[in-house]
Amino acid sequence: MHIKELDKQFVANTYGRFDIALVRGNGEYLYDDTGKEYIDLGAGIAVNTFGAADSQWIAAVTQQLMTIQHTSNLYYTEPCARLAEMLCSRTGMKKVFFGNSGAEANECMIKAARKYSHDKYGDGRNTIVTLKNSFHGRTVTTLAATGQDVFHQHFFPFTEGFLHITANEPADLAILTTDKSICAVMLETIQGEGGVNVLREDYVRTIADICAKNDILLLIDEVQTGNGRTGKLFSYMHYEGIKPDIFSTAKGLAGGLPLGATVFGEKTESVLTAGTHGSTFGGNPVCAAGAINILSRLTPELLSEVEAKGQFVREELTSAVGVVGVFGKGLMLGIETEVAPAEVAKRCMERGVLVLTAKNKVRLLPPLNITWDALKKAVEIIKEVIAQ
Ligand SMILES: *Cc1c(COP(=O)(O)O)cnc(C)c1O
């Protein structure tokens, strides 16, 4: 049976897939089962940080795979310990918990924020404020955290204790000082699934100040924005003087293997104690080896290339026919077009370019090492299809 028919018959029908089956790749080039070539501007939704089948990453992963693939968290392993050290030394944070996905990284962040407050203040101080239009994951709790009504259906009862306020709206922040049940604010500095909406510097600054004054924890969801995607190692680093009490990351961290991390700062490093949280696969040595390879290559030079490539796309498209606006940072870009985003994605696919959509925008999340040639070619094709 053909791949598509098999999938339709036996895989749970939760995805609206594009009508192609991808079978292999090389860097920013992907190939379907008919041999057609595509320039990949999606990177598996910001996962394949250095593209498909990257040789350095394969070497790091296979070396670990041939050594030992898994041990359980009852034992120490070197890749997990080294990766945690790397994350802390690159961010100034103190401790890391490893899980397997973005949702789990956020679950851990939510649990830790509530435990921090409960340890210190006792019952009744457990509300977490999140932003409208956010996306934090698909578990019952992270859906509750997600500030979009479309996600609050079917699965009742949802986890209590989340309050959604409007992003970039300072007037909504009054609640942080009046509602004494609030223990944390959780945000994406750029709302990815929500349509590549960038939070303003002054807005984040105000939140951070209120949080610091009231011992409310600042939680930053770097699942999509992390690992070099926006031109900084983590996106909060674009915001002068901002440091989260906890941040979560996943997607691009291990370059294509499932790995999530919850990273704790000074205030929160000792909140989770033995037995309070865990994960069977979390910190898996193969995934950790992949992540060590990825992080070690996110050098200042690579990050400035990400900035430069993002700037190029922004300049090319801002003035293009059919473009309403270009949003985002680095290689996390949202393009508002006159033609509907789904139609743009379809036309691009026909022309051999894979793009994503997010709400009212065409979303670009290419591999960070995409070649200038491929990027220029893809941008030309996007320009042509959106001008129609
Ligand atoms: C993708 C995403 C998640 C969920 O990650 P999964 O690995 O799918 O669980 C959470 N937060 C943000 C900001 C994301 O982009």
Side-chain angles (χ1 to χ4, degrees), residues 68-77 279-285:
I68 189 166
Q69 79 275 29
H70 175 80
T71 65
S72 94
N73 277 308
L74 299 174
Y75 310 98
Y76 295 97
T77 57
S279 164
T280 299
F281 285 115
N284 169 279

mmCIF file of all heavy atoms in Angstrom, residues 68-77 279-285:
data_model
loop_
_atom_site.group_PDB
_atom_site.id
_atom_site.type_symbol
_atom_site.label_atom_id
_atom_site.label_comp_id
_atom_site.label_asym_id
_atom_site.label_seq_id
_atom_site.Cartn_x
_atom_site.Cartn_y
_atom_site.Cartn_z
ATOM 1 N N ILE A 68 26.085 3.370 24.198
ATOM 2 C CA ILE A 68 24.921 2.902 24.972
ATOM 3 C C ILE A 68 23.753 3.831 24.663
ATOM 4 O O ILE A 68 23.919 5.042 24.607
ATOM 5 C CB ILE A 68 25.208 2.822 26.495
ATOM 6 C CG1 ILE A 68 24.035 2.122 27.206
ATOM 7 C CG2 ILE A 68 25.464 4.191 27.088
ATOM 8 C CD1 ILE A 68 24.358 1.686 28.629
ATOM 9 N N GLN A 69 22.584 3.248 24.413
ATOM 10 C CA GLN A 69 21.454 4.060 23.927
ATOM 11 C C GLN A 69 20.590 4.623 25.040
ATOM 12 O O GLN A 69 19.898 5.614 24.851
ATOM 13 C CB GLN A 69 20.602 3.259 22.931
ATOM 14 C CG GLN A 69 19.635 2.251 23.536
ATOM 15 C CD GLN A 69 20.275 0.900 23.839
ATOM 16 O OE1 GLN A 69 21.469 0.820 24.112
ATOM 17 N NE2 GLN A 69 19.490 -0.144 23.806
ATOM 18 N N HIS A 70 20.626 3.982 26.221
ATOM 19 C CA HIS A 70 19.734 4.401 27.302
ATOM 20 C C HIS A 70 20.180 3.701 28.577
ATOM 21 O O HIS A 70 20.676 2.588 28.534
ATOM 22 C CB HIS A 70 18.285 3.994 26.960
ATOM 23 C CG HIS A 70 17.306 4.274 28.072
ATOM 24 N ND1 HIS A 70 16.794 5.520 28.300
ATOM 25 C CD2 HIS A 70 16.778 3.466 29.020
ATOM 26 C CE1 HIS A 70 15.971 5.471 29.348
ATOM 27 N NE2 HIS A 70 15.954 4.233 29.804
ATOM 28 N N THR A 71 20.007 4.377 29.716
ATOM 29 C CA THR A 71 20.390 3.723 30.976
ATOM 30 C C THR A 71 19.302 3.787 32.042
ATOM 31 O O THR A 71 19.360 3.054 33.009
ATOM 32 C CB THR A 71 21.613 4.419 31.620
ATOM 33 O OG1 THR A 71 21.234 5.743 31.978
ATOM 34 C CG2 THR A 71 22.798 4.435 30.696
ATOM 35 N N SER A 72 18.338 4.687 31.912
ATOM 36 C CA SER A 72 17.395 5.114 32.964
ATOM 37 C C SER A 72 18.076 6.167 33.822
ATOM 38 O O SER A 72 19.308 6.249 33.884
ATOM 39 C CB SER A 72 16.877 3.983 33.863
ATOM 40 O OG SER A 72 17.676 3.865 35.032
ATOM 41 N N ASN A 73 17.251 6.941 34.492
ATOM 42 C CA ASN A 73 17.779 8.023 35.320
ATOM 43 C C ASN A 73 18.202 7.552 36.712
ATOM 44 O O ASN A 73 18.470 8.370 37.595
ATOM 45 C CB ASN A 73 16.763 9.169 35.384
ATOM 46 C CG ASN A 73 16.883 10.056 34.157
ATOM 47 O OD1 ASN A 73 17.976 10.510 33.822
ATOM 48 N ND2 ASN A 73 15.780 10.275 33.457
ATOM 49 N N LEU A 74 18.300 6.240 36.904
ATOM 50 C CA LEU A 74 18.821 5.715 38.175
ATOM 51 C C LEU A 74 20.341 5.776 38.200
ATOM 52 O O LEU A 74 20.958 5.537 39.227
ATOM 53 C CB LEU A 74 18.359 4.275 38.372
ATOM 54 C CG LEU A 74 16.834 4.087 38.429
ATOM 55 C CD1 LEU A 74 16.476 2.612 38.486
ATOM 56 C CD2 LEU A 74 16.251 4.821 39.622
ATOM 57 N N TYR A 75 20.931 6.089 37.033
ATOM 58 C CA TYR A 75 22.390 6.123 36.929
ATOM 59 C C TYR A 75 22.855 7.431 36.318
ATOM 60 O O TYR A 75 22.104 8.102 35.632
ATOM 61 C CB TYR A 75 22.883 4.947 36.062
ATOM 62 C CG TYR A 75 22.296 3.630 36.512
ATOM 63 C CD1 TYR A 75 21.186 3.101 35.865
ATOM 64 C CD2 TYR A 75 22.816 2.955 37.617
ATOM 65 C CE1 TYR A 75 20.615 1.918 36.300
ATOM 66 C CE2 TYR A 75 22.250 1.774 38.062
ATOM 67 C CZ TYR A 75 21.145 1.258 37.410
ATOM 68 O OH TYR A 75 20.573 0.107 37.847
ATOM 69 N N TYR A 76 24.101 7.779 36.563
ATOM 70 C CA TYR A 76 24.705 8.943 35.930
ATOM 71 C C TYR A 76 25.124 8.599 34.508
ATOM 72 O O TYR A 76 25.561 7.479 34.253
ATOM 73 C CB TYR A 76 25.966 9.372 36.699
ATOM 74 C CG TYR A 76 25.697 9.850 38.112
ATOM 75 C CD1 TYR A 76 25.843 8.989 39.201
ATOM 76 C CD2 TYR A 76 25.327 11.169 38.344
ATOM 77 C CE1 TYR A 76 25.604 9.427 40.496
ATOM 78 C CE2 TYR A 76 25.093 11.619 39.643
ATOM 79 C CZ TYR A 76 25.228 10.742 40.712
ATOM 80 O OH TYR A 76 24.992 11.178 41.981
ATOM 81 N N THR A 77 24.972 9.556 33.586
ATOM 82 C CA THR A 77 25.557 9.382 32.249
ATOM 83 C C THR A 77 26.251 10.675 31.846
ATOM 84 O O THR A 77 25.813 11.772 32.207
ATOM 85 C CB THR A 77 24.507 9.039 31.167
ATOM 86 O OG1 THR A 77 23.506 10.055 31.145
ATOM 87 C CG2 THR A 77 23.884 7.676 31.406
ATOM 88 N N SER A 279 11.316 11.469 34.597
ATOM 89 C CA SER A 279 10.999 11.086 33.228
ATOM 90 C C SER A 279 11.847 9.880 32.861
ATOM 91 O O SER A 279 13.060 9.873 33.110
ATOM 92 C CB SER A 279 11.310 12.249 32.286
ATOM 93 O OG SER A 279 11.363 11.800 30.957
ATOM 94 N N THR A 280 11.238 8.862 32.303
ATOM 95 C CA THR A 280 12.007 7.663 31.942
ATOM 96 C C THR A 280 13.052 7.973 30.880
ATOM 97 O O THR A 280 14.220 7.632 31.010
ATOM 98 C CB THR A 280 11.063 6.554 31.423
ATOM 99 O OG1 THR A 280 10.170 6.224 32.469
ATOM 100 C CG2 THR A 280 11.843 5.315 31.001
ATOM 101 N N PHE A 281 12.617 8.639 29.819
ATOM 102 C CA PHE A 281 13.533 8.902 28.705
ATOM 103 C C PHE A 281 14.340 10.188 28.872
ATOM 104 O O PHE A 281 15.306 10.415 28.140
ATOM 105 C CB PHE A 281 12.750 9.016 27.392
ATOM 106 C CG PHE A 281 12.267 7.712 26.838
ATOM 107 C CD1 PHE A 281 10.907 7.440 26.742
ATOM 108 C CD2 PHE A 281 13.169 6.760 26.389
ATOM 109 C CE1 PHE A 281 10.454 6.242 26.201
ATOM 110 C CE2 PHE A 281 12.729 5.558 25.840
ATOM 111 C CZ PHE A 281 11.368 5.290 25.747
ATOM 112 N N GLY A 282 13.913 11.062 29.777
ATOM 113 C CA GLY A 282 14.508 12.405 29.879
ATOM 114 C C GLY A 282 16.016 12.353 30.060
ATOM 115 O O GLY A 282 16.519 11.647 30.929
ATOM 116 N N GLY A 283 16.733 13.118 29.245
ATOM 117 C CA GLY A 283 18.190 13.152 29.329
ATOM 118 C C GLY A 283 18.841 11.954 28.666
ATOM 119 O O GLY A 283 20.032 11.681 28.873
ATOM 120 N N ASN A 284 18.064 11.271 27.836
ATOM 121 C CA ASN A 284 18.574 10.117 27.089
ATOM 122 C C ASN A 284 19.932 10.443 26.446
ATOM 123 O O ASN A 284 20.092 11.495 25.841
ATOM 124 C CB ASN A 284 17.534 9.751 26.017
ATOM 125 C CG ASN A 284 18.074 8.750 25.024
ATOM 126 O OD1 ASN A 284 18.778 9.118 24.096
ATOM 127 N ND2 ASN A 284 17.770 7.498 25.244
ATOM 128 N N PRO A 285 20.914 9.544 26.602
ATOM 129 C CA PRO A 285 22.274 9.881 26.144
ATOM 130 C C PRO A 285 22.400 10.140 24.644
ATOM 131 O O PRO A 285 23.239 10.962 24.234
ATOM 132 C CB PRO A 285 23.112 8.658 26.557
ATOM 133 C CG PRO A 285 22.157 7.614 27.005
ATOM 134 C CD PRO A 285 20.863 8.270 27.326
#
